[in-house]
Amino acid sequence: MMKQSSCRQMTEPGFWAGVLVIFCTLSMGADVHQTLKTPSMPSRVLQRHKRDWKWDKLFVYEEMLPKNPPEKIGKLENTFFTKSSRFILSGEGANDMFTVNEYGDIIVNAMLDREKKSVYKLSASLIDSKSGKPLDKDDTFIVVVQDINDNSPVFPPDLSGSISESSKAGTIVMTVNATDADDGSTPNGRIEYKLLNGTDLFNINNENDVGVIRTLKSSLDREKQSQYIIAIKAKDMPGMENGNSATTTVTININDVNDNIATFKKGKYQFNVKEDSKLGTEIGVLGVEDKDEIQNKNPKFTIQNEFDKVFDIKLNNEKDGILSLKVPLDYETNSMYKFYVNVDEHTESKSPDNQGPNLQKKAEVSIHVIDVDEPPVFSKTEYNFNISEGPFSSPNIGAVSAKDPDNTGYKIRYSIEDANCPVAVDPVQGHLSLKRQLDREQQSLHTFKVTAHEDVPNGLKSYALVNLKVLDINDNAPELINGNLHVCENDIAGTIIGTVGAHDKDESSKRFRFTLAKKSSNFSLHDNENNTASIELKQGGFSTERSMKYVLEIEISDGGTPEQKSINLVQIKVCTCQTGRRIEYCRAYAQTGVSVSALLAILLCIITILVIVILIVLRRRYQKEVLIAKSSGEIHEQLVTYDEEGGGEMDTNGYDVSILSSACHDSSFRPGTGPSLYAVVKKPPACKGDMGMMIEVKKDEADHDRDGIPYDTLHIYGYEGSESLAGSLSSLDSSSSGSNLDYDFLHEWGPRFRTLAQLYGVDGSDTDSSD
């Protein structure tokens, strides 16, 4: 069994369907008593014969330093234990914090901390010392770390609360909850609270280890003090003088309520306002004083003696009164306003902080109207006139009137700035008249502005809106509607083939009458007296094979004053129909004429085709001329394709360039002697010195040859004229073996011509001849 030094005995229910018995023993009395520092109790040994293990729950205090000899907290006992067996521990802290000796004593080897770990679960095994085989089944037990008061209370950071001013006594302000890491089931972890200041206004009560701060009085006033800093002490081991403690401060904010009445800052206010100020213009500010915060200010302003019809007072963001204008002012009528304004406020408190007869709740307001040069004022802001459409006997419509409201009384002139307006105005009298007749069907309402301006330089202007409504007259003839009619091949006499109607652009409602302007042998018309008429078939036997043009001339009159009539042509098609006169196929009557639009379209197509043909012919002709010009190419065009770097004087065999100089010798060049392209080109005889003419010819050919590539600069060095004193410097002519020119004079031209002298001098000639 295990012996426990804590001098406690416990009985726990149920373990392998038996009762486990715990007992205390004093066999380790002296050591255990010293360790646990608790009085020893008589030992009671209870044995269970069904099982060979005897065990208990072990206890040890935290924060105890290891001792020498080590502290024994219990003993393992088993009926199978002999000298040849030994105990083994396993589990949490086994063989480190807890070990077992050869006698089964459990020893604590380290200082424990309950706040880190309060319970250790271990297993005990009994094995043979030699073979290592288990002698009994393993069993488990726990080591409970008992708490000591080694932690102080801890407050959370930034504690703050709030309460409204004038709150009743006993109102909860806030709660304070400190924590203690010690065991909360023991006094070590229980906390009590105490206020260190502010006890005249607040107190704190301990309720379930939480400090509740309440008010002691109802006299809190934000306007006097808006914040309190309170120190609080929290201590464990309640009711005892010793114990760990901590202090902190909490901030209590006093919230504002509307407990102050708004009053005027002064007894008189004076303002100036121009007479032309617009409605809603702010005239001035009636400043009020209210100690409450802005959100709790709610002053009410009242204007006396019906001046509230002229002026209005609204609140601004600071809850002061803004005096504004409700109606226009006129300096000539009234240049001074004086009235009184009252201010009042409903507060939450029945007894406001500021009260008494000396409060400034009434103020005198004086407003001086400033005269300004005002524009002309029309008798109306908007004029409405009516006039009938069509021809008029008198162009007069009406008149507008304006005057100068100032004392100067300038004359007024009238004008209409819109040049497209159909109305003219008399510049002096303001009479309106028509410039042309109007048509209601085009525009039924004309709106324009009439300008009135003072008849002085830089005079002021004003405008009035004029609405001219055009009244309707019966000036439009009726028009036929639903005129798409057809007759079916199987229709018989008396069949209603359709119903036509009429409408009129005029405004008034009318009764239209329908008649046939020209009698028809196949159809008749019946007026339904509801602005419609029915077309009835007189006889049947219509066929699409014998399709003819059937046209009805229907006369419609509107019965108005004056009466308007119209004759409308209705074309009727012959169709093959299904049941219910549903059209299946219609064959239109033959038409012999062609419309103007069709003729224009045909003519446009013909012109387009002719233009395309002409362009094609011109293009082919141009391409043919280009091909002929290219086929008769010239000698110099062989040089254009020579895009390789030649070998100089030594490279005269790869290309036959002698032909370039053959043109200078009439005896060696004949047009019929070979395929020489140079002979085809007509040019003046260059050897006779007419070089300028040849260049002009070549330039003309190059300008007109759009498909040819640009001439290379070699073309102007094809050959030199015969009149040149220097002779030809081209290497092309040097390829002929008959050259007898003397180039020795090049040695006399200086170092710049040394290389040229070596190539064409006597030595060079000899070398070439020998090669």
Side-chain angles (χ1 to χ4, degrees):
M1 63 177 291
M2 301 179 187
K3 293 181 180 180
Q4 172 60 40
S5 64
S6 64
C7 299
R8 297 182 183 179
Q9 62 180 15
M10 301 177 61
T11 303
E12 293 187 5
F15 187 78
W16 289 298
V19 178
L20 303 181
V21 180
I22 308 171
F23 67 94
C24 291
T25 181
L26 296 177
S27 59
M28 302 172 62
D31 295 338
V32 175
H33 175 72
Q34 182 179 2
T35 303
L36 303 181
K37 297 181 181 175
T38 58
S40 61
M41 297 181 60
S43 173
R44 178 186 300 177
V45 179
L46 300 177
Q47 295 185 356
R48 179 176 61 85
H49 297 287
K50 293 183 180 180
R51 178 73 187 275
D52 295 321
W53 278 105
K54 299 170 185 178
W55 67 278
D56 199 357
K57 180 186 291 185
L58 306 182
F59 296 88
V60 61
Y61 278 103
E62 64 172 335
E63 304 297 338
M64 294 297 179
L65 296 173
K67 298 180 179 181
N68 191 14
E71 178 185 1
K72 301 175 183 179
I73 63 172
K75 186 178 181 65
L76 297 175
E77 288 189 358
N78 191 287
T79 55
F80 295 147
F81 179 74
T82 62
K83 293 182 179 180
S84 62
S85 61
R86 63 186 179 90
F87 293 99
I88 297 176
L89 288 181
S90 60
E92 298 175 341
N95 302 319
D96 181 14
M97 296 182 179
F98 307 101
T99 58
V100 61
N101 59 17
E102 66 271 14
Y103 303 109
D105 297 323
I106 300 177
I107 299 171
V108 179
N109 299 314
M111 184 173 64
L112 305 179
D113 189 352
R114 190 200 67 84
E115 284 71 42
K116 293 182 178 179
K117 191 170 182 62
S118 60
V119 177
Y120 293 86
K121 296 180 180 180
L122 299 169
S123 289
S125 303
L126 181 63
I127 63 173
D128 185 85
S129 299
K130 296 181 179 180
S131 63
K133 294 182 179 180
L135 301 178
D136 195 3
K137 294 182 179 180
D138 297 346
D139 204 354
T140 59
F141 63 95
I142 61 174
V143 176
V144 179
V145 182
Q146 292 185 317
D147 183 50
I148 65 172
N149 191 14
D150 60 341
N151 289 280
S152 299
V154 177
F155 286 99
D158 301 329
L159 290 175
S160 63
S162 62
I163 187 172
S164 298
E165 61 178 332
S166 302
S167 296
K168 296 181 180 180
T171 304
I172 295 177
V173 180
M174 61 180 296
T175 59
V176 179
N177 187 11
T179 58
D180 195 323
D182 292 328
D183 190 357
S185 62
T186 66
N188 300 334
R190 296 193 181 100
I191 302 174
E192 64 179 357
Y193 301 90
K194 181 182 179 181
L195 294 182
L196 301 181
N197 68 319
T199 54
D200 57 332
L201 297 174
F202 307 97
N203 68 349
I204 188 167
N205 297 324
N206 298 313
E207 299 178 7
N208 299 325
D209 293 336
V210 176
V212 181
I213 300 177
R214 289 183 170 87
T215 59
L216 287 176
K217 301 178 181 179
S218 60
S219 59
L220 293 175
D221 190 352
R222 187 200 66 85
E223 286 72 36
K224 294 180 180 180
Q225 186 172 347
S226 62
Q227 189 178 82
Y228 294 88
I229 306 298
I230 304 299
I232 302 177
K233 179 181 179 181
K235 187 184 77 68
D236 57 16
M237 305 290 288
M240 299 182 185
E241 293 183 0
N242 60 343
N244 299 320
S245 64
T247 59
T248 189
T249 58
V250 298
T251 302
I252 299 177
N253 297 306
I254 309 302
N255 296 331
D256 182 56
V257 297
N258 189 5
D259 59 349
N260 289 275
I261 297 176
T263 60
F264 285 109
K265 294 181 179 179
K266 55 184 180 179
K268 293 184 178 181
Y269 294 88
Q270 292 185 355
F271 306 104
N272 297 324
V273 60
K274 294 182 178 181
E275 64 173 331
D276 61 347
S277 298
K278 296 181 179 179
L279 301 184
T281 299
E282 295 183 1
I283 300 174
V285 178
L286 303 178
V288 296
E289 183 178 2
D290 192 338
K291 294 181 180 180
D292 294 326
E293 292 181 346
I294 189 68
Q295 69 274 11
N296 294 317
K297 294 181 180 180
N298 191 24
K300 303 293 183 182
F301 296 91
T302 305
I303 301 177
Q304 297 181 356
N305 299 331
E306 296 185 355
F307 284 97
D308 56 350
K309 297 180 180 178
V310 182
F311 304 100
D312 190 18
I313 299 178
K314 296 181 180 179
L315 297 181
N316 60 8
N317 294 333
E318 288 74 27
K319 301 299 178 70
D320 292 325
I322 302 298
L323 189 65
S324 60
L325 194 61
K326 292 179 68 174
V327 297
L329 301 178
D330 187 4
Y331 172 83
E332 288 73 23
T333 304
N334 193 350
S335 62
M336 177 70 178
Y337 294 88
K338 181 180 289 187
F339 52 89
Y340 289 92
V341 177
N342 295 333
V343 63
D344 198 5
E345 185 175 8
H346 174 72
T347 61
E348 296 182 6
S349 177
K350 295 182 180 179
S351 300
D353 291 346
N354 58 334
Q355 54 183 329
N358 296 326
L359 295 179
Q360 190 73 43
K361 300 179 66 175
K362 184 177 181 179
E364 180 184 270
V365 179
S366 300
I367 298 177
H368 299 272
V369 180
I370 300 175
D371 185 28
V372 296
D373 187 9
E374 299 178 274
V377 177
F378 280 92
S379 59
K380 297 180 181 179
T381 57
E382 184 173 343
Y383 294 86
N384 296 301
F385 299 103
N386 299 326
I387 191 168
S388 298
E389 64 175 332
F392 51 84
S393 58
S394 174
N396 294 330
I397 300 174
V400 296
S401 175
K403 66 177 183 177
D404 185 5
D406 298 320
N407 294 329
T408 54
Y410 293 126
K411 293 183 179 180
I412 304 300
R413 295 188 65 84
Y414 305 93
S415 62
I416 298 177
E417 298 178 358
D418 186 5
N420 297 322
C421 181
V423 178
V425 61
D426 184 276
V428 177
Q429 301 296 328
H431 294 159
L432 301 176
S433 59
L434 285 178
K435 295 191 295 185
R436 63 177 184 271
Q437 68 179 20
L438 305 178
D439 188 354
R440 189 202 65 85
E441 285 72 37
Q442 292 183 357
Q443 187 172 349
S444 61
L445 181 65
H446 296 268
T447 300
F448 54 92
K449 289 182 179 180
V450 177
T451 303
H453 55 90
E454 299 172 343
D455 194 9
V456 292
N458 300 322
L460 299 180
K461 296 180 180 181
S462 62
Y463 302 89
L465 188 67
V466 178
N467 298 315
L468 179 60
K469 183 179 180 180
V470 183
L471 302 179
D472 183 49
I473 62 173
N474 190 27
D475 59 345
N476 289 279
E479 297 179 3
L480 184 73
I481 58 176
N482 301 328
N484 294 324
L485 302 179
H486 69 278
V487 61
C488 297
E489 290 180 322
N490 54 0
D491 285 343
I492 61 176
T495 300
I496 303 298
I497 65 173
T499 301
V500 296
H503 78 283
D504 195 330
K505 293 181 181 180
D506 295 324
E507 189 176 29
S508 59
S509 59
K510 303 170 184 176
R511 160 73 169 83
F512 297 105
R513 293 188 296 272
F514 300 83
T515 58
L516 286 178
K518 183 178 181 181
K519 292 184 178 180
S520 173
S521 60
N522 296 312
F523 308 97
S524 62
L525 182 144
H526 176 69
D527 191 342
N528 298 325
E529 297 184 355
N530 59 356
N531 292 337
T532 64
S534 300
I535 307 301
E536 183 177 349
L537 193 62
K538 286 184 177 181
Q539 60 184 2
F542 291 90
S543 174
T544 56
E545 300 297 331
R546 302 186 305 274
S547 177
M548 295 177 60
K549 182 177 181 180
Y550 300 99
V551 178
L552 287 181
E553 296 182 9
I554 301 176
E555 181 181 281
I556 306 174
S557 60
D558 59 11
T561 303
E563 186 177 40
Q564 299 288 338
K565 296 182 180 181
S566 65
I567 296 178
N568 302 268
L569 301 180
V570 179
Q571 298 181 0
I572 302 176
K573 298 180 292 185
V574 179
C575 303
T576 301
C577 302
Q578 299 178 357
T579 306
R581 303 189 80 251
R582 290 179 299 168
I583 297 176
E584 180 179 355
Y585 165 74
C586 292
R587 181 173 180 180
Y589 54 85
Q591 296 185 3
T592 58
V594 180
S595 64
V596 176
S597 59
L599 290 175
L600 291 176
I602 294 173
L603 182 61
L604 182 62
C605 292
I606 294 174
I607 294 173
T608 304
I609 294 173
L610 289 176
V611 171
I612 293 174
V613 171
I614 292 172
L615 291 176
I616 293 174
V617 171
L618 293 176
R619 177 63 179 173
R620 290 184 176 180
R621 181 178 179 182
Y622 176 74
Q623 290 178 347
K624 184 176 180 181
E625 292 177 354
V626 170
L627 291 176
I628 294 173
K630 286 185 176 182
S631 62
S632 61
E634 300 183 6
I635 296 174
H636 56 74
E637 297 200 48
Q638 297 179 5
L639 297 179
V640 173
T641 60
Y642 181 33
D643 57 356
E644 299 178 3
E645 184 178 357
E649 293 296 321
M650 303 301 297
D651 188 14
T652 57
N653 297 323
Y655 301 90
D656 186 10
V657 295
S658 60
I659 193 172
L660 292 176
S661 59
S662 60
C664 296
H665 307 281
D666 294 338
S667 59
S668 61
F669 179 78
R670 297 292 184 269
T673 58
S676 173
L677 297 177
Y678 201 76
V680 179
V681 182
K682 295 181 180 180
K683 62 170 67 69
C687 293
K688 294 182 179 180
D690 200 355
M691 189 66 179
M693 184 179 295
M694 184 204 74
I695 292 175
E696 293 298 328
V697 171
K698 302 305 295 182
K699 284 171 61 179
D700 183 68
E701 292 177 357
D703 291 339
H704 292 83
D705 187 3
R706 296 184 180 180
D707 296 331
I709 59 176
Y711 278 97
D712 191 84
T713 55
L714 286 177
H715 294 136
I716 65 175
Y717 298 108
Y719 50 87
E720 290 281 341
S722 58
E723 280 85 10
S724 176
L725 298 177
S728 177
L729 298 180
S730 174
S731 62
L732 300 177
D733 191 54
S734 62
S735 62
S736 61
S737 58
S739 177
N740 295 321
L741 297 176
D742 185 8
Y743 296 99
D744 291 339
F745 64 92
L746 295 175
H747 293 280
E748 300 174 0
W749 287 9
R752 294 184 179 182
F753 295 85
R754 184 176 302 166
T755 303
L756 190 63
Q758 293 176 357
L759 292 175
Y760 293 91
V762 176
D763 297 338
S765 301
D766 298 342
T767 305
D768 293 340
S769 301
S770 62
D771 288 340

